[in-house]
Amino acid sequence: MSESKIFGIDLGTTNSCISVLDNKKPRVIPVDGSGVVPSVISVLGDEILVGRRAKNRAVAFPEQSVRSVKRKMGTDKAIVIGEKSYSPEGISAMILRFLCDEAARLEGHEVSRAVITVPAYFSDAQRKAAIEAGKLAGLSVERIINEPTAAALFYDHVNISSGDIGRSWKHALVYDLGGGTFDVSVLRMSEIIEVLASTGDTRLGGDDFDRCIVDHFLSVIRANGGPDISEFTPAIARLSAVAEQAKIDLSVRGTVTIEEANIPTPDGSGCTISTEVSRNEVEELSSHLLERTVDFVRKALDEAKLHASDIDKVLLVGGMTRMPVISQRLSDLFGDASMPAVDPDLSVAYGAAIQGGIINGENLEQILLDVTSHTLSLGAINPYTDALTCAPIIPRNTQIPATRARLFWTVADNQKHVELEIYQGESELPEENTLIGHTKLDLAKAEANSPVEVKYSYDLNGIIHLTAEHKGFSKKTEVYFDSRNPEEDRSQTLAEDLADELEMPRKSNEPINFVIHRARLLLDGMSEGPRKTAFAGLVERYESALLEDSDDVDGFEDDLLSAMDEL
Ligand code: AMP
């Protein structure tokens, strides 16, 4: 095993958790008592509280506190507390720093390297924000992995540890409903854990269920002659806390009594609520949210080309899956599939620690292949309609790391440059997709219809890299774009910033080669035999051609990519 331990961090919307691998077993570090640390910060003078203390304070001082910051990751939305303004990454970094400092105190040694989990459906900008938060917290972020995949790694690990080395179960569906996000992934479990499809919504979670209950409370208050406090933040903060507790209590009881006095009102007089809520009522109030998750489940099955009856295990992840109606609804859908009882709050962090162990060279007999959750395309003029359309380059659910290229054609003689607009999403229409970057490539003087090759790569963190080449006129260049400011062409400034930041040893302008990354990963996972020898030969041939800058590189790359597709 190399270097210091790599810790696994589940940086959740509602709660976060840090874990580590000990003798090949993941263990949660009991930061803040239980290890499940509220992802809340609260500013108290010069002091910043994080975790349980911050959560308690946030009920009385919501305007000095921040919850659910994960929902703002990847945006430029500043969070203002008093005179100070914080970025979402800055707030997340405070939570990460708290987890690491406390873990270091409890463990007695430094915590400097981490695998951080993100929702599978996180975009490029959101993933970069997670890495940035890690860096701001002083961490070396060794890998970003998808939360449902981390959970599957953990369940697989439990199985192997209990002797089921051959994986008697073949297909699993991970249903991950946390405080702020919903993810669903379908996986094939063999010697390699393969994600077949992944989808979800980064704006659907427990907070939305709580909001339905809060709306109900607001109408009860109004019906009893109370004021309309729906726009008053302190009142909403208080009612949200009451709603969340009611929802949690209703997971084990049929009804709860709500008796709250002194609910803040704008005029300072306060109001009260006295009512009963039943489990059935809450299920009805939030049934549209549950059905939205079921729609995503169906979509994931479709994309994996499987039926519900093909799924052997449904893995429940995220605190919200404790709500009984969720497992009931999934039982209706999946019939015979079993739902293993493993703590839904901790499995993501456990999986992250396992991934940390794998990166650190521990032999855990687990290999993971994840997929992209969005189609990546380039905005291009359709020559038949003259309309801007999205030309797909990497389809969704392609295994990562992945590199794919596509040729485009210039439209004018001596065209000076091409605008490169990078879109994420499934539609042909740009306006229905998310623009994640805008940059341009300068061209050499050439006639119209000269070819421009645009190559996208998704790296192991799910981050996108772009190279482009005016074929026959220029060398391949890595083109930079800023997914946080997709409307702006920031290619020049970013190129300068990123050139300093890139840590991989490489010549300037030489793109990072993700084909090699993926090939090596596959090679590591293959059992000895003629197939492996043949594949190793292709990898070696391609690597030598790259080193020698040989003309055969492209042909060898194609051979290798075809061999990888067939594996
Ligand atoms: P996570 O993001 O996985 O930590 O999940 C947090 C969400 O799970 C929050 O919305 C919690 O209110 C919710 N939650 C936690 N425990 C329960 C429970 N016993 N019943 C229902 N919801 C719960």
Side-chain angles (χ1 to χ4, degrees), residues 414-445:
N414 298 330
Q415 191 173 322
K416 290 223 167 69
H417 61 257
V418 273
E419 297 281 335
L420 301 174
E421 287 188 347
I422 305 133
Y423 287 93
Q424 213 168 250
E426 309 317 308
S427 173
E428 269 191 7
L429 303 175
E431 59 273 22
E432 288 181 4
N433 289 332
T434 311
L435 177 70
I436 61 160
H438 172 201
T439 180
K440 60 176 183 271
L441 177 74
D442 291 332
L443 300 177
K445 275 193 172 179

Side-chain angles (χ1 to χ4, degrees), residues 12-15 36 176-180 205-207 210 244 247-248 251 318-320 322-323 344-345:
T13 311
T14 320
N15 296 304
V36 178
D176 180 358
L177 187 59
D207 292 354
D210 299 347
E244 184 183 13
K247 175 189 73 180
I248 291 172
S251 290
M320 278 300 297
R322 290 212 164 84
M323 220 174 147
D345 294 322

Side-chain angles (χ1 to χ4, degrees), residues 213-224 239 242-243 246 250 253 255-261 263 272-278 281-282 285:
I213 306 172
V214 169
D215 287 343
H216 171 67
F217 288 164
L218 289 171
S219 57
V220 169
I221 292 171
R222 272 198 308 270
N224 290 327
L239 290 178
V242 177
L250 287 170
R253 291 160 57 184
T255 54
V256 286
T257 304
I258 309 293
E259 294 285 355
E260 285 290 313
I263 300 166
T272 58
I273 179 169
S274 168
T275 186
E276 269 205 350
V277 199
S278 71
E281 254 176 297
V282 167
L285 289 168

Side-chain angles (χ1 to χ4, degrees), residues 60-74:
F61 301 99
E63 60 296 327
Q64 292 167 20
S65 312
V66 187
R67 302 176 44 156
S68 303
V69 69
K70 191 170 170 182
R71 287 188 158 183
K72 298 200 171 86
M73 290 286 271

Side-chain angles (χ1 to χ4, degrees), residues 159 164-171 189 312-313:
N159 264 33
D164 186 8
I165 309 277
R167 275 96 166 173
S168 55
W169 45 304
K170 294 294 170 244
H171 290 116
M189 317 294 286
D312 306 300
K313 284 201 199 262

Side-chain angles (χ1 to χ4, degrees), residues 11 14-16 31-33 36-44 47-58 64-66 69 90-102:
L11 184 61
T14 320
N15 296 304
S16 296
V31 173
D32 230 9
V36 178
V37 180
S39 307
V40 183
I41 71 128
S42 190
V43 180
L44 177 59
E47 200 188 350
I48 303 232
L49 307 179
V50 183
R52 210 153 293 281
R53 285 176 72 204
K55 184 176 178 182
N56 293 340
R57 195 167 179 277
Q64 292 167 20
S65 312
V66 187
V69 69
I91 302 278
S92 294
M94 291 175 198
I95 299 168
L96 287 172
R97 198 59 262 157
F98 176 77
L99 287 169
C100 294
D101 286 348
E102 286 301 293

Side-chain angles (χ1 to χ4, degrees), residues 115-130:
V115 167
I116 299 177
T117 61
V118 295
Y121 219 59
F122 250 23
S123 68
D124 192 66
Q126 289 168 310
R127 284 166 197 273
K128 283 182 179 150

